[in-house]
Amino acid sequence: MAKLQGSFTAMITPMLDDGSVDYDGFAQNVKFQLENGIDGLVPLGTSGETPTLDEDEEEKMLDIVFPLVKEFNKKNNRAVKVIVGAGSNNTRDAVRYTTRAKEKGADYALVVTPYYNKPSDEGIFKHYEAVSKVGIPIIVYNIAGRTGKNISVPLLKRIADLPNIAGVKEASGSIPQMMEVIEKIALTHKDFSVLSGDDSLTLPLIACGGDGIISVVTNLIPQRMTDLVHNALSGKLEEARSIHYSLQPLFRAAFCDGNPSSIKCAMNLRGIPAGTLRLPLVPAKPEAQEIIKEALKECNI
């Protein structure tokens, strides 16, 4: 499989005031992303509030994404990727969601570490072994802050040796761990991608040999973040560094009151469909809204 590199948007799910999914707004957001240079879309990830979506809603969203991306790619001679969130803390469901992603035509499935259960390393390995058998490239999603379980480098190395494991979304927050992943896995698995799961660590990770970002802030600024990534991947570190520091206030503000509460607030302020959230998530607090407003001004957004 070809190595995955670039800037990929962890898409939010826009919602109407009554809490229903804003499908028209979602389609508008997909088009906005495509028209602003993004390398790929990641629907049904954590940022999309999938724990609160039912499967009918998820199906409708996928049925919006794929035709729009296919049409855009054909018309513009592009190869924008679709990476479908397929994680669950129930392995049978993760296999089912991964199978759905494959049948819909996804390029990759993003599979998060089983959360809450806190399985042993062997349990995590068996989980990824099961989804790898579906036959679609898998991006492992390591985010201990949400799952309660960090995937260590030795464990990830075992997982990377499975068929169809294409890379990792690394959101451990640890640059030393990310460098060790590159050193001990990516350098020997030439098609294994190491993608940042933290917007603020995108440039440091690429400078160390990483491959890009699955981003939250690209919901708002796809072009600027993609420019950062492409410059960094091309070795134009001065240009990438300039964009990186120009966006620091947004990187901080985008998580000041949780995700996706903060980014939805920013999007609403700039007229991009986002809307409300479903419980147990609630809109950003007034003090957080002020931080976000100030960040948008500082970053000229």
Side-chain angles (χ1 to χ4, degrees):
M1 67 188 85
K3 190 169 188 178
L4 184 66
Q5 291 186 310
S7 178
F8 308 92
T9 299
M11 298 194 72
I12 61 98
T13 298
M15 294 181 182
L16 302 171
D17 289 344
D18 64 0
S20 61
V21 174
D22 179 3
Y23 297 109
D24 289 340
F26 182 67
Q28 184 177 328
N29 288 349
V30 170
K31 294 174 184 177
F32 172 68
Q33 294 291 319
L34 296 173
E35 291 163 1
N36 283 277
I38 204 69
D39 295 306
L41 303 176
V42 188
L44 306 187
T46 310
S47 297
E49 299 176 71
T50 46
T52 71
L53 298 178
D54 63 43
E55 292 190 17
D56 285 343
E57 292 169 328
E58 293 176 355
E59 287 279 340
K60 289 177 183 177
M61 292 173 68
L62 293 178
D63 288 342
I64 289 170
V65 169
F66 284 104
L68 289 173
V69 172
K70 184 177 181 179
E71 179 184 6
F72 178 85
N73 283 342
K74 183 177 181 180
K75 183 177 180 181
N76 296 279
N77 195 29
R78 290 283 307 281
V80 175
K81 306 299 184 186
V82 180
I83 307 168
V84 173
S88 175
N89 62 342
N90 179 336
T91 301
R92 287 180 296 178
D93 282 345
V95 169
R96 189 160 55 88
Y97 297 150
T98 302
T99 301
R100 177 180 65 180
K102 179 184 178 182
E103 291 174 347
K104 292 285 186 182
D107 298 286
Y108 299 82
L110 178 68
V111 179
V112 71
T113 317
Y115 42 87
Y116 188 78
N117 313 57
K118 296 186 76 172
S120 67
D121 283 3
E122 187 62 22
I124 291 174
F125 176 80
K126 293 291 188 183
H127 181 83
Y128 283 103
E129 182 179 48
V131 295
S132 74
K133 292 177 181 178
V134 172
I136 182 176
I138 302 294
I139 304 295
V140 176
Y141 184 9
N142 182 33
I143 180 164
R146 284 186 181 264
T147 65
K149 179 75 175 181
N150 180 53
I151 298 180
S152 68
V153 177
L155 175 56
L156 184 60
K157 192 173 188 302
R158 284 186 69 200
I159 294 169
D161 287 335
L162 291 167
N164 300 312
I165 301 298
V168 62
K169 177 183 177 182
E170 239 297 342
S172 65
S174 169
I175 287 290
Q177 176 163 322
M178 294 175 185
M179 289 191 294
E180 190 176 357
V181 168
I182 293 168
E183 173 195 359
K184 295 184 177 178
I185 303 174
L187 293 181
T188 57
H189 295 66
K190 297 302 183 182
D191 57 356
F192 187 89
S193 298
V194 183
L195 302 168
S196 177
D198 296 291
D199 286 295
S200 62
L201 296 181
T202 305
L203 178 57
L205 178 62
I206 295 176
C208 291
D211 297 292
I213 174 74
I214 295 180
S215 169
V216 169
V217 301
T218 48
N219 280 283
L220 181 67
I221 51 162
Q223 189 66 67
R224 286 173 72 177
M225 199 66 185
T226 300
D227 287 346
L228 187 163
V229 169
H230 287 186
N231 277 311
L233 288 171
S234 299
K236 300 176 182 177
L237 293 182
E238 188 171 334
E239 292 91 335
R241 190 182 302 118
S242 176
I243 300 170
H244 170 81
Y245 282 110
S246 75
L247 295 176
Q248 280 296 304
L250 178 63
F251 292 159
R252 292 189 290 267
F255 296 90
C256 69
D257 200 18
N259 179 49
S261 305
S262 301
I263 193 65
K264 276 195 162 185
C265 174
M267 293 169 72
N268 285 327
L269 287 168
R270 289 298 177 262
I272 300 172
T276 189
L277 300 101
R278 284 185 180 170
L279 289 172
L281 298 182
V282 296
K285 299 186 294 289
E287 54 267 35
Q289 293 179 32
E290 292 304 315
I291 293 171
I292 295 164
K293 287 178 184 177
E294 184 59 31
L296 294 177
K297 290 179 184 177
E298 288 186 66
C299 297
N300 296 313
I301 298 169

